[in-house]
Structures are given as structure tokens and as C-alpha cells.
């Protein structure tokens, strides 16, 4: 994992108006280098005057001398440059998120925006439909399109005209998803398990890729320097593995084009990605702000390791709340799906004792926010000494299960492993109830259930026997006759074997003043 970006942990405080995309567009408007700094009415009069000066009278019938001719030639070239400046216009432009091979989000009104010359008329043609607008006093323009339906992956052409013409080709209509976070989201297919197999099979004409380069700014930006690409073996190699596997599953199930936008940075804490009413972080400014008006279906998120190292623990609950609510506000979608990965166990001293379990609880608590989901990964870590588990395909698939069940409404999809719900003390035993266990529970490896501990009022935990009884787990220990609480997989190297019948793993938990949710 890359070192934490400690200098980016505190969001930069900005005036609220600085978060306005329209203001960002006007401030960053691209103008010609010859654009005159005086009003256009004055430009016309000056142009006429200069033209008259250049054309006044016949040439003198005598030799002016070489030096005089050179001086007049320089003046002439200066006047010609001024005339060019007076006639120059700012070309119609679009941010780079609009381009050939892009996917437009289906089912919601769309917004195209860009810059042009002040007062310039802009037209947009999409198929048989035409739309128009006029650039405002700062040169900013925007055109709203009604919601579009997916049409089986049909390729479209979009033409935008002003003083110049922009043609966007091979445009698809489907679903667009953002993948963000730190290194485990950034981790490429080329670095991941079964890379050759997955890269070779990554030719999907209906999946499109957009990778946002790493940029940090004090203020929200209007554009990002990249372009859309088709999903192919050549283009996928260095793209986010988790996001690709997620998108591939959605594409296969929904039979619609899928656009994937990767915006991640290894080693980053959560704070630089956050935008609140009072300010925004540098990574948000450079890597999210430029696309907030580009409609998307939702977001997947894989981050938290750096915040464990920073000993944020349970405080991560509030940080996730700020992140999710902030993104939903700027994307103008209060119900935007936000599915995240519960970070993997890592047996390294950089994680202080108790900090990883505390952050796990914070991630479970985030499930209390609507339209969220969490993929548990304790069972797919092959090397506890590696903070970057190489199995990224199961991570992407588990995130996709949440999306299919919750966002797409697919019936019969098991989207989570068991999540702790309630406990009941019965004599010397504690009975545990779980969400997402309606089909029953089992041991993943067929062995006795592992990683359970039990304690009495004194809080001294001892290893416990755990037995599945229907949809419950019953926990006890011979030395604890009056139990009060249970812990499950509550340490940084935990790899428990409890799962549901579908094989999805149970999340770590503790029962004392538990704050976690279940995402039901």
C-alpha cells in the first residue's frame, strides 16, 4: 500500500458557490489566445478604423528606404494580427467526460454542458431530435435532454454545433457506475489473480472504460484529462480489477451497455474524497467534481486501510456518512446507490490492536444509510501479510450482487453473508440471530465454527464453542456460567468459517453496544 497522504486529510474550506458546476465551467472557459479584451461593439469600430488606416491612399511614388519599409511591414503585420484577433471566436467545447465510445445513463434526464463564445447559439442533434441553447455572458452553456431508454446496445451519433462542429460517435445508452477509493480499488487486472485468463476474455463491446488520472486541487475543477475507451484485452490491463468485474457481472445480467469510471488513488484516506456544505477535499476537487453533472447509476467504494492506520476506528462511521451524503448531494441524486467493500484482514503492526475491528463496525454501521451495501472479504485473503488481496473477481461479484438485488430488483439473488442482528442470553449460553440467513447457516470448510469468543460481566473473553441451530448460532464456554457478550472474528487477522448456505461469509461483530446495521 502506498504511504498515507497525510497532507490531504483535512478538506479545504471553500465558499459554497465554489462547488457550483456552472461557476466552475465559466471560470475555466477556454477562449482564443486572440480574444480581444475590449467590448465587442468597440471591437467593430476599432476594426473599421484599422482597416481604413491600412487602406488609406495610394502608395507613395518614391522609395521609402529599407529601414522605413521594414518598420511599416512590422506595423502591417501587427494590424493583421489585431484584425485576426477581432474576428476570432471561442470554439464550442465539451469536457472530456463527453466523447466517442461513451455510455449515457438510461432512464434519467441528461445534461450536456461546455463553453463557447458569449451569446453564441449552440445546437445538439441526437438521432432525429434537436435541441438548442445560447451561451451566457461567461460563455457557459448547457442543454438538457429527456430520459433515454436502453436500446440493445445500438450505436448513436451526437452532433453539437456552434462556430465549429463536434461529432461524438459510437455512443451507447445503458448504465454508468463509478469506482473509487484507495489502492484496492485502483489495483489493476494485470496485478490480480487469474490475470491472463481475465485479460484475454475482456473483449466486451458493450462495456466502456474511463480512467480519471490522479489530480489534486484546492478548488473544484471543470474537466479531467482523459477519454473513453472500449473494453478490450488491450485496454483493460491497467484498469481497476474490482470495477471491471463488477461491471462485467452487471452487463451480463442486465444485457445493457455499461460505462465504468475509475477514480481512485492508492494510499488515500477518506477525507480528501469528501465534499460537505462547507468545503471539499483535494481529490474530490480534481477527480470527482468535474463529473458531478454526468449522470450515473451509482458508486462502488473500496477504501479504509489508511484510516485504520490513522486510528480512526469507529469514527469512520461519520466519515462515511459525510462522503455518501455529500456525493449524493452534488450528483443531485439523494438515492444514489453506494456499495462498498468491508476491508480485508491484514496481520501487520501498522494496524494498532482493535482498530481494524472498530472500522469494520463503522462499515457495518454505514449500512443504516439507505441504498447502501457491503461486500465482506474475510474468506478470500490468501496471504494475511499482503494488504492487497489478489482475488478481485469475487470482490467485484459480491458488490454486483448488492446492485442486482437492491438497484435492479432482481429476485432470488443472495447479496450478503450473515450480518449480526440480535442476541439472547439463555442460562449459560448466548443465542445469536443473523440477517441474510433465511436459507440457513453452515461452516465454509466443514469444520467446527471458528473465531467465537464469549465473556461474562467482567469482560474477560475466552474461546467459545459455537453450534448452528437452525438459523441461529449458540455460543458457550465451560468457564463462563453467566455470559453477557460475544465477539466474532474480532481481530486484524481473522478468517472465520461461518457463512450462509449460499457460501457468503459472515461479517465480524461484537455484541456490546453494537452499532452495525444489516442493509435489509
Amino acid at each position: 500500500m502506498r504511504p498515507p497522504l497525510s497532507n490531504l486529510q483535512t478538506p479545504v474550506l471553500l465558499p459554497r458557490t465554489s462547488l457550483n458546476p456552472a461557476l466552475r465551467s465559466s471560470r475555466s472557459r477556454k477562449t482564443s489566445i486572440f480574444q480581444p479584451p475590449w467590448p465587442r461593439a468597440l471591437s467593430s469600430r476599432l476594426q473599421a478604423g484599422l482597416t481604413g488606416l491600412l487602406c488609406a491612399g495610394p502608395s507613395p511614388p518614391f522609395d521609402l528606404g529599407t529601414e522605413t519599409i521594414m518598420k511599416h511591414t512590422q506595423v502591417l503585420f501587427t494590424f493583421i494580427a489585431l484584425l485576426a484577433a477581432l474576428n476570432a471566436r471561442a470554439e464550442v467545447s465539451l469536457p472530456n467526460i463527453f466523447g466517442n465510445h461513451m455510455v449515457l445513463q438510461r432512464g434519467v434526464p441528461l445534461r450536456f454542458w461546455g463553453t463557447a463564445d458569449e451569446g453564441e447559439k449552440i445546437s445538439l442533434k441526437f438521432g432525429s431530435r434537436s435541441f438548442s441553447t445560447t451561451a451566457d455572458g461567461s460563455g457557459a452553456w448547457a442543454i438538457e435532454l429527456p430520459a433515454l431508454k436502453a436500446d440493445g446496445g445500438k450505436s448513436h451519433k451526437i452532433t453539437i454545433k456552434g462556430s465549429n462542429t463536434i461529432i461524438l460517435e459510437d455512443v451507447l445508452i445503458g448504465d454508468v457506475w463509478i469506482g473509487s477509493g484507495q489502492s484496492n480499488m485502483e489495483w489493476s487486472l494485470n496485478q490480480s489473480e487469474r490475470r491472463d485468463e481475465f485479460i484475454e476474455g475482456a473483449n466486451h463491446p458493450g462495456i466502456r472504460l474511463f480512467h480519471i488520472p490522479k489530480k489534486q486541487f484546492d478548488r473544484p475543477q471543470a474537466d479531467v484529462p482523459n477519454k473513453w475507451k472500449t473494453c478490450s484485452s488491450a485496454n483493460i490491463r491497467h484498469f481497476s480489477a474490482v470495477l471491471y468485474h463488477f461491471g462485467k457481472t452487471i452487463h451480463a445480467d442486465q444485457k445493457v451497455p455499461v460505462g465504468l469510471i475509475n477514480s481512485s488513488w492508492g494510499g488515500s484516506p477518506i477525507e480528501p474524497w469528501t465534499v460537505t456544505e462547507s468545503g471539499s477535499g483535494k481529490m474530490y476537487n480534481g477527480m470527482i467534481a468535474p463529473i458531478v453533472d454526468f449522470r450515473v447509476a451509482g458508486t462502488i467504494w473500496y477504501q479504509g486501510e489508511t484510516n485504520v492506520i490513522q486510528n480512526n476506528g469507529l469514527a469512520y462511521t461519520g466519515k462515511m456518512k459525510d462522503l455518501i451524503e455529500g456525493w449524493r448531494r452534488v450528483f443531485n441524486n439523494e438515492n444514489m446507490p453506494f456499495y462498498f467493500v468491508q476491508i480485508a484482514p491484514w496481520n501487520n503492526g501498522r494496524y494498532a490492536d482493535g482498530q481494524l475491528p472498530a472500522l469494520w463496525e463503522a462499515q457495518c454501521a454505514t449500512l443504516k444509510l439507505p441504498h447502501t451495501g457491503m461486500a465482506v472479504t474475510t474468506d478470500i485473503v490468501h496471504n494475511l501479510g499482503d494488504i492487497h488481496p489478489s482475488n478481485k473477481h469475487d470482490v467485484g461479484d459480491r458488490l454486483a450482487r448488492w446492485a442486482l438485488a437492491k438497484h435492479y430488483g432482481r429476485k432470488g439473488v443472495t447479496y450478503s453473508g450473515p450480518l449480526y442482528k440480535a442476541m439472547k442470553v439463555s442460562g449459560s449460553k448466548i443465542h445469536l440471530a443473523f440477517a441474510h440467513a433465511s436459507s440457513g447457516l453452515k461452516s465454509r470448510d466443514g469444520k467446527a465454527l471458528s473465531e467465537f469468543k464469549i465473556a461474562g460481566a467482567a469482560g474477560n473473553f475466552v474461546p467459545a464453542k459455537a453450534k448452528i441451530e437452525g438459523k441461529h448460532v449458540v455460543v458457550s464456554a465451560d468457564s463462563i456460567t453467566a455470559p453477557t457478550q460475544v465477539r466474532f472474528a474480532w481481530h486484524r487477522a481473522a478468517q472465520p468459517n461461518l457463512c450462509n448456505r449460499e457460501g457468503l461469509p459472515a461479517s465480524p461483530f461484537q455484541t456490546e453496544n453494537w452499532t452495525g446495521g444489516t442493509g435489509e
Side-chain angles (χ1 to χ4, degrees), residues 431-446:
H431 292 248
L432 302 171
F434 297 88
H436 311 291
S438 59
S439 62
L441 301 167
K442 70 175 184 178
S443 165
R444 172 169 47 88
D445 54 11

Side-chain angles (χ1 to χ4, degrees), residues 97 210-215 224-226 261-264 286-288 291:
I97 194 65
F210 192 92
H211 180 86
I212 296 181
K214 298 175 183 177
K215 299 287 183 181
V224 289
N226 218 327
I261 301 174
N262 176 37
S263 181
S264 51
M287 301 172 67
I288 298 297
I291 64 169

Side-chain angles (χ1 to χ4, degrees), residues 86-106:
L86 294 171
N87 289 319
R89 297 175 63 86
E91 289 192 341
V92 174
S93 67
L94 290 166
N96 288 316
I97 194 65
F98 296 104
N100 297 331
H101 315 303
M102 69 176 172
V103 176
L104 293 175
Q105 179 60 43
R106 61 171 169 164

Side-chain angles (χ1 to χ4, degrees), residues 210-500:
F210 192 92
H211 180 86
I212 296 181
K214 298 175 183 177
K215 299 287 183 181
Q216 310 165 51
F217 293 94
D218 289 334
R219 293 185 177 277
Q221 299 298 294
D223 205 358
V224 289
N226 218 327
K227 60 183 180 180
W228 285 93
K229 297 180 180 180
T230 57
C231 184
S232 66
S233 296
N235 292 333
I236 198 63
R237 183 176 296 272
H238 300 294
F239 196 76
S240 164
V242 169
L243 183 56
Y244 165 69
H245 287 297
F246 170 86
K248 180 182 65 174
T249 302
I250 299 299
H251 177 58
D253 184 271
Q254 292 295 297
K255 304 295 189 296
V256 298
V258 172
L260 302 174
I261 301 174
N262 176 37
S263 181
S264 51
W265 193 318
S268 60
I270 193 173
E271 292 88 346
W273 296 103
T274 303
V275 54
T276 66
E277 292 283 357
S278 59
S280 54
K282 290 185 177 182
M283 292 180 187
Y284 166 82
N285 290 339
M287 301 172 67
I288 298 297
I291 64 169
V292 295
D293 278 341
F294 191 81
R295 297 304 299 269
V296 301
T299 296
I300 61 172
W301 175 260
Y302 196 162
Q303 192 278 333
E305 296 89 347
T306 295
N307 290 91
V308 176
I309 293 172
Q310 293 176 178
N311 297 329
N312 292 141
L314 203 54
Y316 192 76
T317 305
K319 297 177 185 294
M320 279 288 279
K321 185 174 186 290
D322 287 344
L323 177 80
I324 295 169
E325 291 181 348
W327 283 27
R328 286 174 172 172
R329 176 172 54 83
V330 296
F331 278 94
N332 196 29
N333 182 0
E334 63 181 8
N335 297 321
M336 183 173 75
F338 201 100
Y339 306 127
F340 55 92
V341 182
Q342 185 184 71
I343 62 174
W346 185 43
N347 193 18
N348 187 289
R350 295 184 69 189
Y351 279 4
D353 289 344
Q355 284 297 314
L356 178 57
L359 190 127
W360 281 337
E361 181 170 345
Q363 291 182 310
C364 289
T366 302
L367 291 173
K368 292 180 178 179
L369 296 177
H371 310 292
T372 59
M374 181 181 74
V376 179
T377 61
T378 53
D379 63 324
I380 53 176
V381 178
H382 307 314
N383 178 6
L384 286 171
D386 188 354
I387 200 171
H388 303 116
S390 61
N391 181 343
K392 295 294 191 271
H393 53 281
D394 281 326
V395 179
D397 177 72
R398 290 175 185 182
L399 289 168
R401 286 171 174 265
W402 279 93
L404 291 174
K406 293 295 188 177
H407 180 67
Y408 294 103
R410 281 270 276 111
K411 303 298 182 183
V413 175
T414 301
Y415 55 92
S416 176
L419 298 177
Y420 169 69
K421 195 169 186 177
M423 62 162 276
K424 180 181 179 181
V425 177
S426 179
S428 61
K429 299 178 180 179
I430 292 181
H431 292 248
L432 302 171
F434 297 88
H436 311 291
S438 59
S439 62
L441 301 167
K442 70 175 184 178
S443 165
R444 172 169 47 88
D445 54 11
K447 299 178 181 179
L449 295 183
S450 61
E451 297 285 2
F452 281 92
K453 290 188 174 183
I454 195 168
N460 298 319
F461 285 89
V462 300
K465 294 178 289 185
K467 183 180 179 181
I468 295 172
E469 292 187 2
K471 299 177 183 178
H472 297 80
V473 173
V474 180
V475 183
S476 63
D478 293 340
S479 60
I480 304 294
T481 57
T484 61
Q485 55 187 305
V486 170
R487 286 179 177 174
F488 170 70
W490 207 242
H491 60 96
R492 67 189 181 212
Q495 291 186 292
N497 60 3
L498 176 64
C499 61
N500 56 20

Side-chain angles (χ1 to χ4, degrees), residues 24-31 90 115-118 137-140:
R24 292 198 308 273
S25 296
S26 65
R27 279 199 300 270
S28 63
R29 183 167 64 97
K30 299 176 182 176
T31 57
T115 60
D117 210 38
E118 175 187 350
S138 67

